Amino acid sequence: MNTSSGVDSFIFSFLILGYVILIGYLGWRGWKKTRNSKDYLLAGRSVHPFVMAMSYGAAFISTSALVGFGGIAGQFGMGVLWLVFMNIAIGIFAAFVWFGKRTREIGAELNARTFPEFIGKRFRAPGLKIFISLIIFVFVPLYSSVVLIGGARFVQEIMQIPYAWALTIFAAVVAVYVIFGGLKGIMYVDALMGTVMICGMLLLLVTCYWKLGGVIPAHQALTDMAPLVKEHLPAEYELGHRGWTVMPEFNSVWWWTLVSSIMLGVGIGALAQPQLAVRFMTVKSGRELNRAVLVGAVFILLTVGSAYTVGALSNVFFYRTDLGIAGNFQSLAIQAARGNPDLIIPIFIREALPGVVLYLFFLTMLSAAMSTLSSLFHVTGSSIGHDFFRTVSNARRDSLTVTRIGMLFGILLSIIFAMILPPGIVARGTAIFFGICAAAFLPAYFAALYWKGATRPGVWASIAAGTASSVIGLLFFHRKEAAAIGICEALFGQTELISTHPWPFVDPFIYSLPLSAVTLILVSLFTEKLPKNHISRCFRKK
Amino acid sequence: MFGLGDISIAIAMLGSIAVTLICVIYGIITWNKGDDSGEGK
């Protein structure tokens, strides 16, 4: 039976089943090799560099990047390509070379197995470990939910099934293998998924340019469409959108969103992601990290670079093709997607690619979502089972049962969020999560690696200030969230506390990160330093 | 440039490719370099 997208249901179901069996097998192999909590949490610290890099990339890049930000590129254009640059320069090179090696060395020296434990042991603060684990447990489900939404939207469009069904099936498949596999299982599966993602996205890019007549003709066609923005998309024009191959108007609403939330918030926020930082501790030497830089950079360029380019170029395709989607010929991407940017990439893939290629794309999107979700659910479960429960209960060993219950709770919470969050939330939800992580953790994480003078109270104050200022910014200053949540309106009778342009559109990350960093420095200067022998142990090889 | 309407978009595109090449070269040059110790206790 064929769906309206030309997908044969039987072949499709057979393919999905085969893929699930394959990842189930890889997860099982990992599970068989999982003998203790070090295996479960750090894959035994002996992962091959290719597996580590692909796993890092696959966990880093999700459907929120491919579908969410790809859709933003479809709506607002190629300015999002700056995020590709940031992802590679900061998220790969700086992360691996300047953060990864020291994280691995200090983490191994202190026998830390999770990000909260790393910070907790580095600053000799068990309470801090609990605090960080709770921050992770509260905010990670928000990010997980938008990744789920990205994947479910794709399934919804390709299979033409209700969103709720797509969401439930998606979450169920991820839940099974992440709960039983541990990190070793996850990393093997991620490596497979990363490979599928590269093949799928590269094929998408090549097909897109081929359909539009080549690289420069495609770009030129999109450039020539710039006058259509004012005519067809007056709301986007008001926000500063001036065409898909130019930057938005300086100091406009969209310029601030692109620069503060997407380029800087997501770009820099990648450095302080707990689910990514833990991967640095899984390799046995710095040599593996050097090799992973090569693999990781190519992976990011081919996956997100393709998604953002194709997202923007989809406007040319939609404009030239009579799809009958928007009820008229010559619709733009966001019109074809019925106003929801999260649907631009799924609809483009469904309409532009032949049925047989759709199968590969389904696996690509499935992989993108599942690899990130598994790492997020893993970090959620370990924050509860390893960091919170073990510390609070003074248990000598990890409780895998508690870890798995924590994961299950995180999964359920993510599904609930995915059900209730509004359309077009994927990219914004990602930016919020990355911004909070950067403001809360980045100064403390950097100090843990590079500043011997950072003190326990300094790190406590920094993490508290970064978290609090991010949350306050979202509730009272950044218009989009403040208006949606409504606490500011209820308390003060206005949408946001400062309405002068550009403040309602400046991401809270822009002031939360400096505040967190300054707090760390000032408090550390005036509080008791950590013992010299502990510092010497941490920085033994520096 | 490349049919794009704005030099800054071309810079983002070329910059992404350039930084990827830097990472590839770094990976090749340091392929066998790096501390081998540090196994957790």
Side-chain angles (χ1 to χ4, degrees), chain A residues 394-454:
Chain A
N394 257 333
R396 293 180 66 187
R397 297 179 63 185
D398 279 2
S399 167
L400 281 186
T401 308
V402 176
T403 301
R404 284 167 176 158
I405 290 172
M407 280 184 187
L408 202 59
F409 189 77
I411 292 168
L412 290 174
L413 207 57
S414 307
I415 294 174
I416 293 169
F417 280 154
M419 286 285 188
I420 60 177
L421 285 171
I425 189 69
V426 175
R428 184 63 209 137
T430 306
I432 291 172
F433 177 74
F434 276 59
I436 289 174
C437 283
F441 303 140
L442 188 54
Y445 184 29
F446 183 82
L449 303 177
Y450 285 100
W451 190 23
K452 296 175 183 175

Side-chain angles (χ1 to χ4, degrees), chain A residues 4 19 46 48 58 107 131 175 188 210 231 239 256 343 436 451 471:
Chain A
S4 60
Y19 193 63
S46 59
H48 189 277
F131 185 58
Y188 284 136
W210 174 68
E231 184 186 334
L239 296 176
W256 276 104
L343 292 175
I436 289 174
W451 190 23
V471 172

Side-chain angles (χ1 to χ4, degrees), chain A residues 99-220:
Chain A
F99 282 68
K101 290 177 184 175
R102 290 203 171 200
T103 304
R104 190 199 69 77
E105 288 168 7
I106 297 173
E109 185 62 40
L110 299 177
N111 201 20
R113 296 173 184 190
T114 63
F115 182 75
E117 188 172 54
F118 178 83
I119 299 292
K121 284 191 169 178
R122 166 65 181 80
F123 294 104
R124 290 189 150 184
L128 194 56
K129 182 168 84 168
I130 294 174
F131 185 58
I132 295 172
S133 73
L134 290 177
I135 293 175
I136 290 173
F137 194 68
V138 168
F139 289 108
V140 165
L142 171 72
Y143 182 39
S144 311
S145 66
V146 297
V147 176
L148 263 181
I149 293 172
R153 290 288 183 205
F154 186 81
V155 177
Q156 170 201 335
E157 283 303 318
I158 300 298
M159 289 300 292
Q160 304 278 288
I161 59 174
Y163 172 69
W165 271 108
L167 190 62
T168 309
I169 295 167
F170 219 60
V173 174
V174 181
V176 168
Y177 90 90
V178 74
I179 286 176
F180 293 103
L183 192 53
K184 200 172 252 182
I186 288 172
M187 290 183 78
Y188 284 136
V189 175
D190 281 358
L192 168 76
M193 291 178 169
T195 310
V196 171
M197 286 165 69
I198 285 183
C199 296
M201 295 312 295
L202 193 57
L203 185 63
L204 180 66
L205 183 69
V206 171
T207 309
C208 180
Y209 276 130
W210 174 68
K211 275 196 171 272
L212 301 180
V215 176
I216 292 176
H219 292 170
Q220 191 60 54

Side-chain angles (χ1 to χ4, degrees), chain A residues 491-537:
Chain A
L491 292 177
F492 302 104
Q494 54 196 75
T495 312
E496 67 272 334
L497 289 181
I498 302 174
S499 298
T500 315
H501 186 81
W503 291 106
F505 312 106
V506 175
D507 196 282
F509 155 85
I510 296 294
Y511 41 83
S512 300
L513 179 63
L515 181 70
S516 175
V518 170
T519 304
L520 172 64
I521 294 166
L522 289 179
V523 176
S524 291
L525 287 177
F526 299 104
T527 49
E528 190 186 351
K529 301 282 181 273
L530 286 159
K532 280 186 179 171
N533 60 345
H534 175 70
I535 296 296
S536 305
R537 187 182 165 205

Side-chain angles (χ1 to χ4, degrees), chain A residues 101 108 219 223 285-286 290-291, chain B residues 2-3 26 31-33 35 38:
Chain A
K101 290 177 184 175
H219 292 170
T223 300
S285 78
N290 287 335
R291 295 175 179 180
Chain B
F2 306 118
Y26 178 86
W31 191 260
N32 282 317
K33 291 179 185 169
D35 183 9

Side-chain angles (χ1 to χ4, degrees), chain A residues 38 44-45 78-79 81-82 84-85 88-89 92-93 97 101 104-105 108-109 111 113 209 216 219-220 223 245-247 284-287 290-291 293-294 297-298 301 541, chain B:
Chain A
K38 193 166 87 172
R45 295 192 202 270
M78 289 183 170
L81 283 174
W82 277 105
V84 182
F85 175 80
I88 301 169
I92 294 292
F93 191 82
V97 176
K101 290 177 184 175
R104 190 199 69 77
E105 288 168 7
E109 185 62 40
N111 201 20
R113 296 173 184 190
Y209 276 130
I216 292 176
H219 292 170
Q220 191 60 54
T223 300
T245 61
V246 296
M247 285 292 278
K284 67 179 178 187
S285 78
R287 187 175 56 214
N290 287 335
R291 295 175 179 180
V293 169
L294 187 158
V298 173
L301 181 73
K541 302 186 189 73
Chain B
M1 195 179 192
F2 306 118
L4 301 168
D6 191 339
I7 186 75
S8 62
I9 304 292
I11 292 171
M13 200 175 258
L14 291 177
S16 302
I17 295 168
V19 76
T20 302
L21 286 175
I22 290 170
C23 288
V24 168
I25 293 165
Y26 178 86
I28 292 169
I29 290 173
T30 59
W31 191 260
N32 282 317
K33 291 179 185 169
D35 183 9
D36 226 350
S37 61
E39 179 63 22
K41 295 161 188 71

Side-chain angles (χ1 to χ4, degrees), chain A residues 19 22-23 26 49-59 61 66 186-203 295 298-300 302-303 360-361 363-365 367-368 371:
Chain A
Y19 193 63
L22 182 60
I23 60 174
L26 290 171
F50 177 80
V51 174
M52 186 270 168
M54 295 302 276
S55 169
Y56 182 96
I61 300 306
L66 304 183
I186 288 172
M187 290 183 78
Y188 284 136
V189 175
D190 281 358
L192 168 76
M193 291 178 169
T195 310
V196 171
M197 286 165 69
I198 285 183
C199 296
M201 295 312 295
L202 193 57
L203 185 63
V295 183
V298 173
F299 178 88
I300 300 290
L302 294 181
T303 52
L360 175 64
F361 272 95
L363 296 186
T364 302
M365 291 298 164
S367 301
S371 52

